[in-house]
Amino acid sequence: MTFSLMKALPGDPVYTMAGERADPETIEKIRKDIGGDKSVLAQYMGYVAMLAKGDLGRSYYTNRRVLDDILVKAPNTIRLASMAMLIALPCGVMLGLIMALSRKTRTDRILSAVSVFGLSIPVFWSGLVLMFVLSLKLKVLPPSGTGGLKYLVLPALTLALPAMASMSRITRVSVVEILDMPFIRTARAKGIAELRITTAHILRNALIPVVTVAGLDFGSYLSGAVLTETIFGWDGIGRFAMEGIVKRDYPVILGCILITTVSFIMMNFFVDLLYRHIDPRLRTGGNVD
Amino acid sequence: MSIKITAGIIAAIFVLSISARLLSPYDPDAIDLDSLREPPSLKHLFGTDNKGRDIMTRVLSGGKISIGISIFAVIISLGIGLLTGLISGYFGGRTDTVLMALVDLVLAFPSLILAIGISVLLPPGIYTVVIAISAVGWASFARVIRGHVLSISRSQFIEAARAVGCGDLRILTIHLLPQCVPLALVMAGMKLGGYILTEAALGFLGLGVQPPTATWGSMISSGRAFLNSAPWMVLSPGLLIALTALCFNLLGDALKEKFDSGPGI
């Protein structure tokens, strides 16, 4: 079911958006000969035909092929997203585990409040605050630009903060659920060391939903990086899209939305597969063929 | 307890922002070239920005727009979501398949990207932001409401209503709708914090309500260039976004706990 749905999704909405997007294009670029004189439908058909050939068109401003630019910038975005995930996943799981194990105590309440706070801070603001403190005042890290690890830390940290918060919340819920299960009591009764119970019994089971969410989050980083990349001048797809928006460069905007949406959906699909792989209980139902 | 506190803080921010023009001696949009980028002082509690405007006045009057847009957007998402969810869950069959395919389609997009896409399409302004946020937001409401309707439409009281001869419309509005309202309100509370952030993000990207009207997002965006010399331009709007979103999130959590009906997404 989910598979066929995922399969069916990418094409349709994207093309529809392309069609819709063609409308303001007619108004704004009507005098230019980028096909603005044709009807919306003709433009839409043209775009679809171009897509079918694997072409995303050319930027109105630089006249470079959008696809080429995206292919240059995509690795940067992926690097940023991976780094953010590398920070967020272990920290988030740790925090969630601490919260769950100390549930209903003061530690839990304080950490829970912190995690809600982490969810409530806008990334573009926390990014600026981090930039202000770490690079403008303490001068530890460069404020913006694309480059090595030094440049990567700030945007990755910014991107990781809300993710860490949401992951810790999910871990907490999932661990608390498992703590009440009979097999944990059995393990305790068998006299297994508390540390081993925590890592082998609790964490392993709790990680299943966490990994799912982490995967989905990774997909949303690829798109959510619009704000972070813009602030830190990170030369990825998000900033590319943003520049396109500012300049009303429709082929660029369209191309970026298309690429991020497709990768987002692919990520969802991948998580779906991964989910079955991690949890053997899910495999029996699906493997009829 | 925490419901009262968080709701109180939100109400306080909102009331202050509505009455900003009465409380403050400054006009939020008046340019004063004699007091450019002044640090916080007794005269200007939050300092002034690069055009000499009083930041406190601007932050407060921006709150009116940001909170207003989010609440407006939540009401619209809730309305569409309730309607879709009720119809989809109650009638089932092909109606359900089509409507839920639509919901899945919206949910398949990264939400911020979809909101940005819609904002680019339409002329910038308050209504565009509301439309952009609710066009993305309704889907998760519809999904959750549908699930709830599915689970209660097999209850005996619905069967009884049908046996007495109630029409579909009557069952939907009088029997099913009230059952969904608490769940929908809890969800609205949980979503509001996110909507505040989305609104701010759109404003930050220059896709929200256009200058000179102050919104939290656009104030941060204009303060970015002066981060080193005038950090207070960025500080107070960001703090207010965080505070408001935090209160809405806590409110949502508290409501969820109270009704103990945690919606999945």
Side-chain angles (χ1 to χ4, degrees):
Chain A
M1 254 299 268
T2 332
F3 177 76
S4 60
L5 207 62
M6 291 289 182
K7 274 283 247 199
L9 275 176
D12 236 50
V14 170
Y15 294 154
T16 331
M17 297 233 13
E20 284 171 355
R21 198 62 46 77
D23 194 14
E25 200 178 67
T26 22
I27 304 158
E28 207 173 277
K29 303 280 173 189
I30 197 136
R31 279 174 301 269
K32 298 197 176 179
D33 48 358
I34 328 169
D37 48 340
K38 291 182 209 146
S39 73
V40 177
L41 190 71
Q43 282 189 28
Y44 164 62
M45 294 307 282
Y47 194 78
V48 173
M50 211 163 62
L51 278 182
K53 280 184 276 175
D55 191 355
L56 291 175
R58 284 170 186 279
S59 159
Y60 288 164
Y61 289 84
T62 58
N63 203 29
R64 282 209 303 267
R65 292 180 43 168
V66 174
L67 187 64
D68 293 348
D69 275 1
I70 286 182
L71 287 179
V72 171
K73 289 162 200 287
N76 282 332
T77 300
I78 294 173
R79 219 148 56 97
L80 175 61
S82 318
M83 185 71 184
M85 186 52 80
L86 224 59
I87 302 174
L89 191 59
C91 295
V93 170
M94 258 328 251
L95 278 176
L97 194 63
I98 295 173
M99 272 166 16
L101 292 181
S102 63
R103 80 185 132 151
K104 302 227 166 85
T105 66
R106 192 181 292 163
T107 326
D108 177 31
R109 258 182 307 223
I110 291 173
L111 284 179
S112 294
V114 170
S115 71
V116 182
F117 192 63
L119 278 183
S120 314
I121 301 176
V123 277
F124 49 90
W125 185 68
S126 57
L128 288 175
V129 172
L130 281 176
M131 188 198 279
F132 180 72
V133 175
L134 288 177
S135 48
L136 297 179
K137 290 295 152 205
L138 299 176
K139 303 203 190 304
V140 199
L141 296 161
S144 65
T146 317
L149 193 65
K150 254 168 59 178
Y151 289 90
L152 193 57
V153 174
L154 272 184
L157 203 61
T158 309
L159 206 52
L161 278 179
M164 220 190 301
S166 71
M167 259 174 240
S168 69
R169 279 162 66 93
I170 289 154
T171 313
R172 182 185 181 279
V173 172
S174 141
V175 170
V176 162
E177 213 165 86
I178 287 164
L179 279 178
D180 292 335
M181 296 229 174
F183 72 86
I184 298 296
R185 207 186 311 146
T186 315
R188 283 225 172 91
K190 275 174 17 187
I192 298 173
E194 200 63 27
L195 185 69
R196 202 178 140 69
I197 295 182
T198 313
T199 50
H201 296 245
I202 299 176
L203 209 53
R204 202 167 156 207
N205 281 290
L207 271 185
I208 295 162
V210 175
V211 165
T212 320
V213 173
L216 294 178
D217 266 10
F218 190 79
S220 71
Y221 289 172
L222 295 176
S223 61
V226 177
L227 298 164
T228 320
E229 284 179 3
T230 309
I231 295 167
F232 292 103
W234 186 259
D235 195 20
I237 293 179
R239 200 171 71 122
F240 190 43
M242 197 48 225
E243 282 167 1
I245 290 170
V246 172
K247 288 190 264 181
R248 295 287 186 266
D249 198 343
Y250 288 104
V252 172
I253 307 175
L254 263 179
C256 291
I257 291 183
L258 202 121
I259 291 291
T260 45
T261 307
V262 168
S263 54
F264 183 72
I265 291 167
M266 269 165 48
M267 203 64 214
N268 283 1
F269 176 60
F270 178 67
V271 165
D272 228 33
L273 291 180
L274 194 69
Y275 202 33
R276 272 158 199 278
H277 187 74
I278 298 174
D279 193 346
R281 280 167 294 184
L282 286 173
R283 257 175 251 159
T284 44
N287 278 357
V288 186
D289 48 322
Chain B
M1 186 59 184
S2 65
I3 293 182
K4 278 182 194 156
I5 296 173
T6 48
I9 296 176
I10 295 166
I13 294 174
F14 197 56
V15 168
L16 277 176
S17 66
I18 287 176
S19 50
R21 278 176 189 267
L22 300 174
L23 293 174
S24 162
Y26 304 100
D27 182 327
D29 300 332
I31 293 168
D32 179 6
L33 296 175
D34 287 334
S35 51
L36 297 182
R37 280 181 271 146
E38 278 180 13
S41 64
L42 276 180
K43 201 172 151 215
H44 299 282
L45 281 178
F46 290 174
T48 61
D49 69 1
N50 60 321
K51 294 196 175 88
R53 297 173 292 200
D54 181 54
I55 291 181
M56 191 171 82
T57 317
R58 281 179 74 73
V59 162
L60 285 180
S61 67
K64 181 176 58 189
I65 292 171
S66 301
I67 299 178
I69 284 179
S70 308
I71 291 178
F72 199 10
V74 140
I75 293 172
I76 293 181
S77 318
L78 188 77
I80 302 177
L82 259 179
L83 193 70
T84 326
L86 275 172
I87 292 175
S88 192
Y90 180 70
F91 290 107
R94 196 172 291 167
T95 328
D96 185 34
T97 316
V98 171
L99 286 176
M100 281 305 116
L102 198 65
V103 165
D104 283 334
L105 197 143
V106 175
L107 290 178
F109 275 98
S111 55
L112 185 62
I113 293 283
L114 187 55
I116 289 175
I118 294 167
S119 318
V120 174
L121 248 161
L122 302 169
I126 293 181
Y127 295 107
T128 300
V129 182
V130 172
I131 292 171
I133 299 178
S134 30
V136 180
W138 71 274
S140 45
F141 279 96
R143 170 59 74 67
V144 172
I145 299 292
R146 169 189 174 262
H148 190 59
V149 171
L150 271 184
S151 71
I152 57 172
S153 57
R154 287 198 196 90
S155 315
Q156 288 191 331
F157 74 96
I158 298 294
E159 210 176 302
R162 207 170 286 138
V164 179
C166 291
D168 285 340
L169 192 66
R170 193 179 162 84
I171 292 181
L172 274 175
T173 51
I174 299 187
H175 299 275
L176 285 174
L177 184 64
Q179 295 284 325
C180 295
V181 168
L183 177 69
L185 286 181
V186 168
M187 225 192 143
M190 293 174 63
K191 288 277 164 189
L192 264 169
Y195 285 9
I196 290 275
L197 293 185
T198 312
E199 193 276 333
L202 289 176
F204 179 78
L205 293 174
L207 295 167
V209 181
Q210 296 298 298
T213 310
T215 63
W216 292 339
S218 65
M219 286 179 73
I220 294 182
S221 145
S222 65
R224 241 181 91 196
F226 307 98
L227 186 63
N228 204 11
S229 56
W232 53 88
M233 275 180 70
V234 166
L235 191 69
S236 47
L239 274 179
L240 253 109
I241 298 175
L243 181 67
T244 316
L246 178 70
C247 286
F248 275 129
N249 282 336
L250 287 175
L251 183 68
D253 276 1
L255 282 175
K256 186 176 135 188
E257 227 157 81
K258 192 171 177 194
F259 289 100
D260 199 31
S261 51
I265 305 162

